[in-house]
Amino acid sequence: MTATINTELNSERVNKAVEAILSALGEPETDLHREAMSAFHRGDHQVVKRLAATNLSDSYCKALGYLGGALKLTPNTDTILAESARSAADFVRERTLASLGAEIAKALG
C-alpha cells in the first residue's frame, strides 16, 4: 500500500510548522537572539535575514531567517521549512553540546 502525501499548502498548516520550529528554538537567551526573535514576531523579516547574513555561524538566526520566507506560501515553502528546521536542530545540538561540556568541566574540574 502506498502512502498518500498531501502537497496542498495553506496558512494554517504552514503556521503549525512554523510554531513547531519556534518551539524547538525555545526562548532567546542572548541579545542577538532576542533581537532576531523580536523582529520575526513584528514581521520585520528583512532585519532577521540581515542578522542571519551578518552572523553566519549562528543557527538560531539562520532558522529564523528562513521562516519569514515560509509564510509567503510559494512553491519553495517546503524547502524553506526544511532548511529552517535543520538550522533549528543544529542550534539545539550546539546548545546541548555546550551545556554538556560545561557540566563535564564542572564535574571534572
Side-chain angles (χ1 to χ4, degrees):
M1 184 169 188
T2 305
T4 303
I5 297 175
N6 184 349
T7 59
E8 177 189 338
L9 285 176
N10 61 44
S11 293
E12 181 182 344
R13 293 174 76 195
V14 170
N15 284 333
K16 285 181 182 178
V18 168
E19 287 302 318
I21 293 167
L22 291 175
S23 178
L25 287 172
E27 291 298 317
E29 298 175 357
T30 68
D31 288 342
L32 173 62
H33 296 170
R34 281 187 282 279
E35 182 179 359
M37 185 63 82
S38 176
F40 179 82
H41 282 306
R42 69 176 182 266
D44 197 346
H45 302 294
Q46 191 59 43
V47 167
V48 180
K49 288 180 190 179
R50 181 61 51 90
L51 291 171
T54 57
N55 295 278
L56 294 173
S57 65
D58 193 294
S59 296
Y60 192 99
C61 288
K62 185 177 178 182
L64 287 177
Y66 281 118
L67 280 184
L71 299 171
K72 295 177 186 175
L73 301 181
T74 70
N76 293 323
T77 297
D78 289 324
T79 302
I80 293 166
L81 287 170
E83 290 303 316
S84 180
R86 286 184 189 99
S87 295
D90 288 344
F91 172 74
V92 171
R93 180 180 188 277
E94 293 160 7
R95 182 178 57 198
T96 301
L97 288 173
S99 176
L100 286 171
E103 289 296 318
I104 291 169
K106 188 167 75 174
L108 300 178

